[in-house]
PDB file of all heavy atoms in Angstrom:
ATOM      1  N   SER A  14      -6.718   1.755   8.426  1.00  0.00           N
ATOM      2  CA  SER A  14      -5.841   2.739   9.069  1.00  0.00           C
ATOM      3  C   SER A  14      -4.402   2.664   8.569  1.00  0.00           C
ATOM      4  O   SER A  14      -3.589   3.534   8.888  1.00  0.00           O
ATOM      5  CB  SER A  14      -5.855   2.535  10.585  1.00  0.00           C
ATOM      6  OG  SER A  14      -5.220   1.300  10.939  1.00  0.00           O
ATOM      7  N   PHE A  15      -4.075   1.641   7.773  1.00  0.00           N
ATOM      8  CA  PHE A  15      -2.702   1.479   7.311  1.00  0.00           C
ATOM      9  C   PHE A  15      -2.371   2.514   6.235  1.00  0.00           C
ATOM     10  O   PHE A  15      -3.164   2.749   5.325  1.00  0.00           O
ATOM     11  CB  PHE A  15      -2.478   0.070   6.748  1.00  0.00           C
ATOM     12  CG  PHE A  15      -2.659  -1.029   7.759  1.00  0.00           C
ATOM     13  CD1 PHE A  15      -3.175  -2.264   7.384  1.00  0.00           C
ATOM     14  CD2 PHE A  15      -2.316  -0.841   9.092  1.00  0.00           C
ATOM     15  CE1 PHE A  15      -3.345  -3.285   8.308  1.00  0.00           C
ATOM     16  CE2 PHE A  15      -2.490  -1.851  10.026  1.00  0.00           C
ATOM     17  CZ  PHE A  15      -3.008  -3.069   9.632  1.00  0.00           C
ATOM     18  N   SER A  16      -1.175   3.101   6.340  1.00  0.00           N
ATOM     19  CA  SER A  16      -0.737   4.072   5.326  1.00  0.00           C
ATOM     20  C   SER A  16       0.146   3.429   4.267  1.00  0.00           C
ATOM     21  O   SER A  16       0.377   4.004   3.212  1.00  0.00           O
ATOM     22  CB  SER A  16       0.019   5.230   5.992  1.00  0.00           C
ATOM     23  OG  SER A  16       1.121   4.745   6.748  1.00  0.00           O
ATOM     24  N   GLY A  17       0.651   2.229   4.534  1.00  0.00           N
ATOM     25  CA  GLY A  17       1.420   1.477   3.548  1.00  0.00           C
ATOM     26  C   GLY A  17       0.697   0.192   3.205  1.00  0.00           C
ATOM     27  O   GLY A  17      -0.506   0.056   3.448  1.00  0.00           O
ATOM     28  N   GLU A  18       1.433  -0.744   2.646  1.00  0.00           N
ATOM     29  CA  GLU A  18       0.851  -2.053   2.318  1.00  0.00           C
ATOM     30  C   GLU A  18       1.161  -3.037   3.443  1.00  0.00           C
ATOM     31  O   GLU A  18       2.292  -3.125   3.911  1.00  0.00           O
ATOM     32  CB  GLU A  18       1.427  -2.573   1.006  1.00  0.00           C
ATOM     33  CG  GLU A  18       1.036  -1.752  -0.207  1.00  0.00           C
ATOM     34  CD  GLU A  18       1.462  -2.417  -1.499  1.00  0.00           C
ATOM     35  OE1 GLU A  18       1.322  -3.651  -1.605  1.00  0.00           O
ATOM     36  OE2 GLU A  18       1.955  -1.705  -2.393  1.00  0.00           O
ATOM     37  N   VAL A  19       0.130  -3.782   3.849  1.00  0.00           N
ATOM     38  CA  VAL A  19       0.282  -4.775   4.897  1.00  0.00           C
ATOM     39  C   VAL A  19      -0.439  -6.048   4.458  1.00  0.00           C
ATOM     40  O   VAL A  19      -1.605  -6.002   4.063  1.00  0.00           O
ATOM     41  CB  VAL A  19      -0.303  -4.299   6.246  1.00  0.00           C
ATOM     42  CG1 VAL A  19      -0.112  -5.374   7.314  1.00  0.00           C
ATOM     43  CG2 VAL A  19       0.336  -2.989   6.678  1.00  0.00           C
ATOM     44  N   GLY A  20       0.259  -7.163   4.512  1.00  0.00           N
ATOM     45  CA  GLY A  20      -0.350  -8.459   4.229  1.00  0.00           C
ATOM     46  C   GLY A  20      -0.083  -9.397   5.382  1.00  0.00           C
ATOM     47  O   GLY A  20       0.996  -9.359   5.982  1.00  0.00           O
ATOM     48  N   ILE A  21      -1.064 -10.220   5.718  1.00  0.00           N
ATOM     49  CA  ILE A  21      -0.889 -11.138   6.847  1.00  0.00           C
ATOM     50  C   ILE A  21      -1.543 -12.473   6.534  1.00  0.00           C
ATOM     51  O   ILE A  21      -2.584 -12.535   5.876  1.00  0.00           O
ATOM     52  CB  ILE A  21      -1.466 -10.551   8.153  1.00  0.00           C
ATOM     53  CG1 ILE A  21      -1.228 -11.513   9.327  1.00  0.00           C
ATOM     54  CG2 ILE A  21      -2.943 -10.205   8.011  1.00  0.00           C
ATOM     55  CD1 ILE A  21      -1.450 -10.915  10.684  1.00  0.00           C
ATOM     56  N   SER A  22      -0.917 -13.533   7.004  1.00  0.00           N
ATOM     57  CA  SER A  22      -1.463 -14.875   6.837  1.00  0.00           C
ATOM     58  C   SER A  22      -0.981 -15.738   7.992  1.00  0.00           C
ATOM     59  O   SER A  22      -0.072 -15.356   8.738  1.00  0.00           O
ATOM     60  CB  SER A  22      -1.041 -15.475   5.493  1.00  0.00           C
ATOM     61  OG  SER A  22       0.368 -15.494   5.381  1.00  0.00           O
ATOM     62  N   ALA A  23      -1.606 -16.916   8.142  1.00  0.00           N
ATOM     63  CA  ALA A  23      -1.248 -17.840   9.215  1.00  0.00           C
ATOM     64  C   ALA A  23      -1.127 -19.244   8.646  1.00  0.00           C
ATOM     65  O   ALA A  23      -1.924 -19.655   7.801  1.00  0.00           O
ATOM     66  CB  ALA A  23      -2.296 -17.801  10.328  1.00  0.00           C
ATOM     67  N   TRP A  24      -0.111 -19.968   9.106  1.00  0.00           N
ATOM     68  CA  TRP A  24       0.070 -21.362   8.726  1.00  0.00           C
ATOM     69  C   TRP A  24       1.057 -21.995   9.709  1.00  0.00           C
ATOM     70  O   TRP A  24       1.787 -21.285  10.405  1.00  0.00           O
ATOM     71  CB  TRP A  24       0.549 -21.490   7.272  1.00  0.00           C
ATOM     72  CG  TRP A  24       1.973 -21.137   7.007  1.00  0.00           C
ATOM     73  CD1 TRP A  24       3.022 -21.984   6.845  1.00  0.00           C
ATOM     74  CD2 TRP A  24       2.528 -19.806   6.861  1.00  0.00           C
ATOM     75  NE1 TRP A  24       4.191 -21.297   6.597  1.00  0.00           N
ATOM     76  CE2 TRP A  24       3.909 -19.967   6.601  1.00  0.00           C
ATOM     77  CE3 TRP A  24       1.993 -18.527   6.935  1.00  0.00           C
ATOM     78  CZ2 TRP A  24       4.764 -18.873   6.424  1.00  0.00           C
ATOM     79  CZ3 TRP A  24       2.833 -17.440   6.757  1.00  0.00           C
ATOM     80  CH2 TRP A  24       4.199 -17.624   6.503  1.00  0.00           C
ATOM     81  N   ASN A  25       1.047 -23.300   9.789  1.00  0.00           N
ATOM     82  CA  ASN A  25       1.966 -24.036  10.667  1.00  0.00           C
ATOM     83  C   ASN A  25       1.918 -23.565  12.120  1.00  0.00           C
ATOM     84  O   ASN A  25       2.898 -23.680  12.861  1.00  0.00           O
ATOM     85  CB  ASN A  25       3.413 -23.928  10.155  1.00  0.00           C
ATOM     86  CG  ASN A  25       3.704 -24.905   9.036  1.00  0.00           C
ATOM     87  OD1 ASN A  25       2.865 -25.740   8.703  1.00  0.00           O
ATOM     88  ND2 ASN A  25       4.880 -24.806   8.454  1.00  0.00           N
ATOM     89  N   GLY A  26       0.778 -22.995  12.531  1.00  0.00           N
ATOM     90  CA  GLY A  26       0.630 -22.586  13.922  1.00  0.00           C
ATOM     91  C   GLY A  26       1.175 -21.215  14.255  1.00  0.00           C
ATOM     92  O   GLY A  26       1.235 -20.838  15.434  1.00  0.00           O
ATOM     93  N   PHE A  27       1.587 -20.423  13.252  1.00  0.00           N
ATOM     94  CA  PHE A  27       2.060 -19.069  13.513  1.00  0.00           C
ATOM     95  C   PHE A  27       1.492 -18.121  12.453  1.00  0.00           C
ATOM     96  O   PHE A  27       0.985 -18.544  11.412  1.00  0.00           O
ATOM     97  CB  PHE A  27       3.593 -18.994  13.536  1.00  0.00           C
ATOM     98  CG  PHE A  27       4.251 -19.318  12.218  1.00  0.00           C
ATOM     99  CD1 PHE A  27       4.500 -18.317  11.287  1.00  0.00           C
ATOM    100  CD2 PHE A  27       4.638 -20.616  11.907  1.00  0.00           C
ATOM    101  CE1 PHE A  27       5.112 -18.600  10.078  1.00  0.00           C
ATOM    102  CE2 PHE A  27       5.244 -20.918  10.706  1.00  0.00           C
ATOM    103  CZ  PHE A  27       5.482 -19.904   9.789  1.00  0.00           C
ATOM    104  N   ALA A  28       1.575 -16.831  12.738  1.00  0.00           N
ATOM    105  CA  ALA A  28       1.116 -15.803  11.804  1.00  0.00           C
ATOM    106  C   ALA A  28       2.290 -14.921  11.423  1.00  0.00           C
ATOM    107  O   ALA A  28       3.232 -14.741  12.198  1.00  0.00           O
ATOM    108  CB  ALA A  28       0.006 -14.965  12.427  1.00  0.00           C
ATOM    109  N   MET A  29       2.217 -14.365  10.221  1.00  0.00           N
ATOM    110  CA  MET A  29       3.257 -13.466   9.749  1.00  0.00           C
ATOM    111  C   MET A  29       2.631 -12.286   9.018  1.00  0.00           C
ATOM    112  O   MET A  29       1.765 -12.468   8.159  1.00  0.00           O
ATOM    113  CB  MET A  29       4.242 -14.191   8.832  1.00  0.00           C
ATOM    114  CG  MET A  29       5.319 -13.281   8.249  1.00  0.00           C
ATOM    115  SD  MET A  29       6.642 -14.213   7.446  1.00  0.00           S
ATOM    116  CE  MET A  29       7.561 -14.776   8.877  1.00  0.00           C
ATOM    117  N   ALA A  30       3.055 -11.088   9.391  1.00  0.00           N
ATOM    118  CA  ALA A  30       2.609  -9.873   8.721  1.00  0.00           C
ATOM    119  C   ALA A  30       3.788  -9.277   7.971  1.00  0.00           C
ATOM    120  O   ALA A  30       4.904  -9.192   8.507  1.00  0.00           O
ATOM    121  CB  ALA A  30       2.065  -8.863   9.726  1.00  0.00           C
ATOM    122  N   ARG A  31       3.537  -8.860   6.730  1.00  0.00           N
ATOM    123  CA  ARG A  31       4.554  -8.213   5.893  1.00  0.00           C
ATOM    124  C   ARG A  31       4.164  -6.751   5.693  1.00  0.00           C
ATOM    125  O   ARG A  31       2.989  -6.441   5.470  1.00  0.00           O
ATOM    126  CB  ARG A  31       4.637  -8.884   4.533  1.00  0.00           C
ATOM    127  CG  ARG A  31       4.830 -10.389   4.569  1.00  0.00           C
ATOM    128  CD  ARG A  31       6.272 -10.748   4.779  1.00  0.00           C
ATOM    129  NE  ARG A  31       6.525 -12.139   4.437  1.00  0.00           N
ATOM    130  CZ  ARG A  31       7.693 -12.734   4.529  1.00  0.00           C
ATOM    131  NH1 ARG A  31       8.742 -12.057   4.950  1.00  0.00           N
ATOM    132  NH2 ARG A  31       7.833 -14.005   4.200  1.00  0.00           N
ATOM    133  N   PHE A  32       5.162  -5.885   5.732  1.00  0.00           N
ATOM    134  CA  PHE A  32       4.916  -4.458   5.611  1.00  0.00           C
ATOM    135  C   PHE A  32       5.785  -3.861   4.508  1.00  0.00           C
ATOM    136  O   PHE A  32       6.936  -4.267   4.318  1.00  0.00           O
ATOM    137  CB  PHE A  32       5.257  -3.728   6.921  1.00  0.00           C
ATOM    138  CG  PHE A  32       4.502  -4.219   8.120  1.00  0.00           C
ATOM    139  CD1 PHE A  32       4.910  -5.365   8.793  1.00  0.00           C
ATOM    140  CD2 PHE A  32       3.404  -3.533   8.598  1.00  0.00           C
ATOM    141  CE1 PHE A  32       4.232  -5.820   9.903  1.00  0.00           C
ATOM    142  CE2 PHE A  32       2.717  -3.972   9.718  1.00  0.00           C
ATOM    143  CZ  PHE A  32       3.129  -5.122  10.368  1.00  0.00           C
ATOM    144  N   CYS A  33       5.244  -2.866   3.824  1.00  0.00           N
ATOM    145  CA  CYS A  33       6.017  -2.090   2.852  1.00  0.00           C
ATOM    146  C   CYS A  33       5.449  -0.676   2.841  1.00  0.00           C
ATOM    147  O   CYS A  33       4.225  -0.489   2.773  1.00  0.00           O
ATOM    148  CB  CYS A  33       5.919  -2.711   1.461  1.00  0.00           C
ATOM    149  SG  CYS A  33       6.902  -1.833   0.214  1.00  0.00           S
ATOM    150  N   ALA A  34       6.326   0.321   2.932  1.00  0.00           N
ATOM    151  CA  ALA A  34       5.878   1.713   2.974  1.00  0.00           C
ATOM    152  C   ALA A  34       6.916   2.610   2.319  1.00  0.00           C
ATOM    153  O   ALA A  34       8.060   2.206   2.072  1.00  0.00           O
ATOM    154  CB  ALA A  34       5.616   2.156   4.409  1.00  0.00           C
ATOM    155  N   GLN A  35       6.516   3.839   2.062  1.00  0.00           N
ATOM    156  CA  GLN A  35       7.407   4.795   1.411  1.00  0.00           C
ATOM    157  C   GLN A  35       8.524   5.268   2.327  1.00  0.00           C
ATOM    158  O   GLN A  35       9.579   5.677   1.858  1.00  0.00           O
ATOM    159  CB  GLN A  35       6.605   6.007   0.915  1.00  0.00           C
ATOM    160  CG  GLN A  35       5.645   5.681  -0.217  1.00  0.00           C
ATOM    161  CD  GLN A  35       6.368   5.160  -1.438  1.00  0.00           C
ATOM    162  OE1 GLN A  35       7.325   5.779  -1.918  1.00  0.00           O
ATOM    163  NE2 GLN A  35       5.931   4.025  -1.955  1.00  0.00           N
ATOM    164  N   ASP A  36       8.298   5.232   3.640  1.00  0.00           N
ATOM    165  CA  ASP A  36       9.334   5.672   4.577  1.00  0.00           C
ATOM    166  C   ASP A  36       9.156   4.954   5.906  1.00  0.00           C
ATOM    167  O   ASP A  36       8.153   4.267   6.150  1.00  0.00           O
ATOM    168  CB  ASP A  36       9.313   7.192   4.767  1.00  0.00           C
ATOM    169  CG  ASP A  36       7.956   7.711   5.197  1.00  0.00           C
ATOM    170  OD1 ASP A  36       7.412   7.204   6.196  1.00  0.00           O
ATOM    171  OD2 ASP A  36       7.422   8.607   4.524  1.00  0.00           O
ATOM    172  N   ALA A  37      10.137   5.131   6.774  1.00  0.00           N
ATOM    173  CA  ALA A  37      10.158   4.417   8.049  1.00  0.00           C
ATOM    174  C   ALA A  37       9.025   4.845   8.962  1.00  0.00           C
ATOM    175  O   ALA A  37       8.453   4.022   9.684  1.00  0.00           O
ATOM    176  CB  ALA A  37      11.500   4.643   8.739  1.00  0.00           C
ATOM    177  N   ALA A  38       8.680   6.141   8.973  1.00  0.00           N
ATOM    178  CA  ALA A  38       7.642   6.632   9.876  1.00  0.00           C
ATOM    179  C   ALA A  38       6.301   5.966   9.584  1.00  0.00           C
ATOM    180  O   ALA A  38       5.579   5.555  10.506  1.00  0.00           O
ATOM    181  CB  ALA A  38       7.526   8.146   9.764  1.00  0.00           C
ATOM    182  N   ARG A  39       5.950   5.852   8.310  1.00  0.00           N
ATOM    183  CA  ARG A  39       4.673   5.225   7.962  1.00  0.00           C
ATOM    184  C   ARG A  39       4.681   3.740   8.305  1.00  0.00           C
ATOM    185  O   ARG A  39       3.684   3.197   8.811  1.00  0.00           O
ATOM    186  CB  ARG A  39       4.394   5.424   6.473  1.00  0.00           C
ATOM    187  CG  ARG A  39       4.215   6.880   6.078  1.00  0.00           C
ATOM    188  CD  ARG A  39       3.956   7.014   4.583  1.00  0.00           C
ATOM    189  NE  ARG A  39       4.038   8.400   4.172  1.00  0.00           N
ATOM    190  CZ  ARG A  39       3.845   8.818   2.919  1.00  0.00           C
ATOM    191  NH1 ARG A  39       3.555   7.935   1.966  1.00  0.00           N
ATOM    192  NH2 ARG A  39       3.928  10.098   2.625  1.00  0.00           N
ATOM    193  N   LEU A  40       5.795   3.071   8.026  1.00  0.00           N
ATOM    194  CA  LEU A  40       5.853   1.643   8.325  1.00  0.00           C
ATOM    195  C   LEU A  40       5.805   1.406   9.827  1.00  0.00           C
ATOM    196  O   LEU A  40       5.124   0.487  10.295  1.00  0.00           O
ATOM    197  CB  LEU A  40       7.105   1.020   7.718  1.00  0.00           C
ATOM    198  CG  LEU A  40       7.080  -0.519   7.658  1.00  0.00           C
ATOM    199  CD1 LEU A  40       7.835  -1.019   6.454  1.00  0.00           C
ATOM    200  CD2 LEU A  40       7.658  -1.140   8.918  1.00  0.00           C
ATOM    201  N   ARG A  41       6.487   2.235  10.573  1.00  0.00           N
ATOM    202  CA  ARG A  41       6.495   2.089  12.033  1.00  0.00           C
ATOM    203  C   ARG A  41       5.081   2.244  12.594  1.00  0.00           C
ATOM    204  O   ARG A  41       4.667   1.508  13.492  1.00  0.00           O
ATOM    205  CB  ARG A  41       7.440   3.130  12.633  1.00  0.00           C
ATOM    206  CG  ARG A  41       7.705   2.971  14.131  1.00  0.00           C
ATOM    207  CD  ARG A  41       8.599   4.104  14.588  1.00  0.00           C
ATOM    208  NE  ARG A  41       8.874   4.069  16.003  1.00  0.00           N
ATOM    209  CZ  ARG A  41      10.010   3.674  16.551  1.00  0.00           C
ATOM    210  NH1 ARG A  41      10.975   3.236  15.780  1.00  0.00           N
ATOM    211  NH2 ARG A  41      10.180   3.715  17.854  1.00  0.00           N
ATOM    212  N   ALA A  42       4.322   3.215  12.047  1.00  0.00           N
ATOM    213  CA  ALA A  42       2.943   3.420  12.494  1.00  0.00           C
ATOM    214  C   ALA A  42       2.086   2.199  12.178  1.00  0.00           C
ATOM    215  O   ALA A  42       1.259   1.770  13.004  1.00  0.00           O
ATOM    216  CB  ALA A  42       2.359   4.671  11.836  1.00  0.00           C
ATOM    217  N   ASP A  43       2.283   1.621  11.004  1.00  0.00           N
ATOM    218  CA  ASP A  43       1.533   0.415  10.641  1.00  0.00           C
ATOM    219  C   ASP A  43       1.908  -0.755  11.548  1.00  0.00           C
ATOM    220  O   ASP A  43       1.051  -1.529  11.976  1.00  0.00           O
ATOM    221  CB  ASP A  43       1.796   0.048   9.183  1.00  0.00           C
ATOM    222  CG  ASP A  43       1.138   1.001   8.202  1.00  0.00           C
ATOM    223  OD1 ASP A  43       0.286   1.798   8.639  1.00  0.00           O
ATOM    224  OD2 ASP A  43       1.491   0.956   7.003  1.00  0.00           O
ATOM    225  N   MET A  44       3.205  -0.885  11.835  1.00  0.00           N
ATOM    226  CA  MET A  44       3.667  -1.963  12.712  1.00  0.00           C
ATOM    227  C   MET A  44       3.038  -1.822  14.101  1.00  0.00           C
ATOM    228  O   MET A  44       2.581  -2.815  14.694  1.00  0.00           O
ATOM    229  CB  MET A  44       5.187  -1.948  12.807  1.00  0.00           C
ATOM    230  CG  MET A  44       5.791  -3.025  13.687  1.00  0.00           C
ATOM    231  SD  MET A  44       5.882  -4.655  12.907  1.00  0.00           S
ATOM    232  CE  MET A  44       7.345  -4.456  11.873  1.00  0.00           C
ATOM    233  N   MET A  45       2.993  -0.609  14.623  1.00  0.00           N
ATOM    234  CA  MET A  45       2.419  -0.382  15.949  1.00  0.00           C
ATOM    235  C   MET A  45       0.931  -0.708  15.965  1.00  0.00           C
ATOM    236  O   MET A  45       0.408  -1.243  16.954  1.00  0.00           O
ATOM    237  CB  MET A  45       2.682   1.054  16.391  1.00  0.00           C
ATOM    238  CG  MET A  45       4.158   1.341  16.656  1.00  0.00           C
ATOM    239  SD  MET A  45       4.521   3.084  17.005  1.00  0.00           S
ATOM    240  CE  MET A  45       3.756   3.275  18.617  1.00  0.00           C
ATOM    241  N   ALA A  46       0.241  -0.405  14.861  1.00  0.00           N
ATOM    242  CA  ALA A  46      -1.189  -0.722  14.778  1.00  0.00           C
ATOM    243  C   ALA A  46      -1.408  -2.231  14.798  1.00  0.00           C
ATOM    244  O   ALA A  46      -2.343  -2.729  15.446  1.00  0.00           O
ATOM    245  CB  ALA A  46      -1.783  -0.114  13.516  1.00  0.00           C
ATOM    246  N   VAL A  47      -0.549  -2.955  14.106  1.00  0.00           N
ATOM    247  CA  VAL A  47      -0.657  -4.420  14.098  1.00  0.00           C
ATOM    248  C   VAL A  47      -0.346  -4.984  15.482  1.00  0.00           C
ATOM    249  O   VAL A  47      -1.067  -5.862  15.992  1.00  0.00           O
ATOM    250  CB  VAL A  47       0.285  -5.022  13.034  1.00  0.00           C
ATOM    251  CG1 VAL A  47       0.436  -6.526  13.230  1.00  0.00           C
ATOM    252  CG2 VAL A  47      -0.233  -4.720  11.641  1.00  0.00           C
ATOM    253  N   LEU A  48       0.708  -4.498  16.113  1.00  0.00           N
ATOM    254  CA  LEU A  48       1.082  -5.010  17.429  1.00  0.00           C
ATOM    255  C   LEU A  48      -0.005  -4.731  18.464  1.00  0.00           C
ATOM    256  O   LEU A  48      -0.219  -5.537  19.389  1.00  0.00           O
ATOM    257  CB  LEU A  48       2.411  -4.400  17.871  1.00  0.00           C
ATOM    258  CG  LEU A  48       3.628  -4.765  17.010  1.00  0.00           C
ATOM    259  CD1 LEU A  48       4.892  -4.158  17.602  1.00  0.00           C
ATOM    260  CD2 LEU A  48       3.775  -6.270  16.875  1.00  0.00           C
ATOM    261  N   ALA A  49      -0.704  -3.607  18.317  1.00  0.00           N
ATOM    262  CA  ALA A  49      -1.808  -3.300  19.230  1.00  0.00           C
ATOM    263  C   ALA A  49      -2.889  -4.367  19.142  1.00  0.00           C
ATOM    264  O   ALA A  49      -3.516  -4.731  20.154  1.00  0.00           O
ATOM    265  CB  ALA A  49      -2.386  -1.931  18.916  1.00  0.00           C
ATOM    266  N   ARG A  50      -3.100  -4.908  17.940  1.00  0.00           N
ATOM    267  CA  ARG A  50      -4.117  -5.941  17.758  1.00  0.00           C
ATOM    268  C   ARG A  50      -3.685  -7.278  18.363  1.00  0.00           C
ATOM    269  O   ARG A  50      -4.526  -8.135  18.638  1.00  0.00           O
ATOM    270  CB  ARG A  50      -4.394  -6.128  16.264  1.00  0.00           C
ATOM    271  CG  ARG A  50      -5.079  -4.928  15.623  1.00  0.00           C
ATOM    272  CD  ARG A  50      -6.560  -4.940  15.902  1.00  0.00           C
ATOM    273  NE  ARG A  50      -7.204  -3.694  15.513  1.00  0.00           N
ATOM    274  CZ  ARG A  50      -8.502  -3.566  15.313  1.00  0.00           C
ATOM    275  NH1 ARG A  50      -9.288  -4.618  15.467  1.00  0.00           N
ATOM    276  NH2 ARG A  50      -9.026  -2.405  14.990  1.00  0.00           N
ATOM    277  N   THR A  51      -2.398  -7.473  18.550  1.00  0.00           N
ATOM    278  CA  THR A  51      -1.916  -8.714  19.163  1.00  0.00           C
ATOM    279  C   THR A  51      -1.931  -8.636  20.688  1.00  0.00           C
ATOM    280  O   THR A  51      -1.722  -9.645  21.355  1.00  0.00           O
ATOM    281  CB  THR A  51      -0.479  -9.034  18.716  1.00  0.00           C
ATOM    282  OG1 THR A  51       0.433  -8.092  19.309  1.00  0.00           O
ATOM    283  CG2 THR A  51      -0.352  -8.991  17.198  1.00  0.00           C
ATOM    284  N   GLY A  52      -2.127  -7.422  21.221  1.00  0.00           N
ATOM    285  CA  GLY A  52      -2.093  -7.237  22.667  1.00  0.00           C
ATOM    286  C   GLY A  52      -0.705  -7.063  23.223  1.00  0.00           C
ATOM    287  O   GLY A  52      -0.513  -7.066  24.437  1.00  0.00           O
ATOM    288  N   ALA A  53       0.287  -6.898  22.349  1.00  0.00           N
ATOM    289  CA  ALA A  53       1.677  -6.761  22.794  1.00  0.00           C
ATOM    290  C   ALA A  53       1.912  -5.395  23.433  1.00  0.00           C
ATOM    291  O   ALA A  53       1.366  -4.380  22.990  1.00  0.00           O
ATOM    292  CB  ALA A  53       2.620  -6.944  21.616  1.00  0.00           C
ATOM    293  N   ALA A  54       2.738  -5.379  24.474  1.00  0.00           N
ATOM    294  CA  ALA A  54       3.144  -4.123  25.105  1.00  0.00           C
ATOM    295  C   ALA A  54       4.423  -3.637  24.436  1.00  0.00           C
ATOM    296  O   ALA A  54       5.419  -4.364  24.383  1.00  0.00           O
ATOM    297  CB  ALA A  54       3.379  -4.342  26.595  1.00  0.00           C
ATOM    298  N   LEU A  55       4.391  -2.414  23.913  1.00  0.00           N
ATOM    299  CA  LEU A  55       5.549  -1.871  23.225  1.00  0.00           C
ATOM    300  C   LEU A  55       6.609  -1.395  24.204  1.00  0.00           C
ATOM    301  O   LEU A  55       6.266  -0.875  25.283  1.00  0.00           O
ATOM    302  CB  LEU A  55       5.135  -0.716  22.325  1.00  0.00           C
ATOM    303  CG  LEU A  55       4.271  -1.060  21.117  1.00  0.00           C
ATOM    304  CD1 LEU A  55       3.778   0.207  20.445  1.00  0.00           C
ATOM    305  CD2 LEU A  55       5.053  -1.906  20.138  1.00  0.00           C
ATOM    306  N   PRO A  56       7.891  -1.534  23.858  1.00  0.00           N
ATOM    307  CA  PRO A  56       8.947  -0.962  24.717  1.00  0.00           C
ATOM    308  C   PRO A  56       8.790   0.552  24.813  1.00  0.00           C
ATOM    309  O   PRO A  56       8.322   1.206  23.875  1.00  0.00           O
ATOM    310  CB  PRO A  56      10.237  -1.335  23.961  1.00  0.00           C
ATOM    311  CG  PRO A  56       9.864  -2.483  23.093  1.00  0.00           C
ATOM    312  CD  PRO A  56       8.437  -2.249  22.708  1.00  0.00           C
ATOM    313  N   ARG A  57       9.182   1.111  25.945  1.00  0.00           N
ATOM    314  CA  ARG A  57       9.046   2.544  26.140  1.00  0.00           C
ATOM    315  C   ARG A  57       9.810   3.344  25.091  1.00  0.00           C
ATOM    316  O   ARG A  57       9.400   4.430  24.691  1.00  0.00           O
ATOM    317  CB  ARG A  57       9.539   2.919  27.544  1.00  0.00           C
ATOM    318  CG  ARG A  57       8.716   2.330  28.667  1.00  0.00           C
ATOM    319  CD  ARG A  57       9.341   2.633  30.026  1.00  0.00           C
ATOM    320  NE  ARG A  57       8.619   1.947  31.108  1.00  0.00           N
ATOM    321  CZ  ARG A  57       9.020   1.950  32.360  1.00  0.00           C
ATOM    322  NH1 ARG A  57      10.141   2.585  32.707  1.00  0.00           N
ATOM    323  NH2 ARG A  57       8.310   1.305  33.296  1.00  0.00           N
ATOM    324  N   LEU A  58      10.947   2.803  24.635  1.00  0.00           N
ATOM    325  CA  LEU A  58      11.752   3.514  23.646  1.00  0.00           C
ATOM    326  C   LEU A  58      11.022   3.675  22.318  1.00  0.00           C
ATOM    327  O   LEU A  58      11.347   4.564  21.537  1.00  0.00           O
ATOM    328  CB  LEU A  58      13.087   2.790  23.439  1.00  0.00           C
ATOM    329  CG  LEU A  58      14.069   2.881  24.605  1.00  0.00           C
ATOM    330  CD1 LEU A  58      15.216   1.916  24.426  1.00  0.00           C
ATOM    331  CD2 LEU A  58      14.600   4.299  24.731  1.00  0.00           C
TER     332      LEU A  58
END
């Protein structure tokens, strides 16, 4: 479902996802998709 490039890995007890996209809208959509998988509640804004 990602429209840009997303890479993720885990080490030292934490995970990190990296994002790169052609514009902010696509990256924001990818970020929201990743956060949904973590169970995080997004701010209303």
Side-chain angles (χ1 to χ4, degrees):
S14 68
F15 297 146
S16 57
E18 294 188 41
V19 180
I21 182 166
S22 57
W24 74 101
N25 279 354
F27 64 90
M29 177 169 283
R31 307 278 196 180
F32 302 81
C33 182
Q35 293 299 309
D36 55 53
R39 296 179 191 181
L40 195 148
R41 188 183 178 104
D43 288 347
M44 180 79 79
M45 292 174 70
V47 167
L48 296 183
R50 292 280 170 161
T51 70
L55 292 172
R57 295 175 186 174
L58 289 168

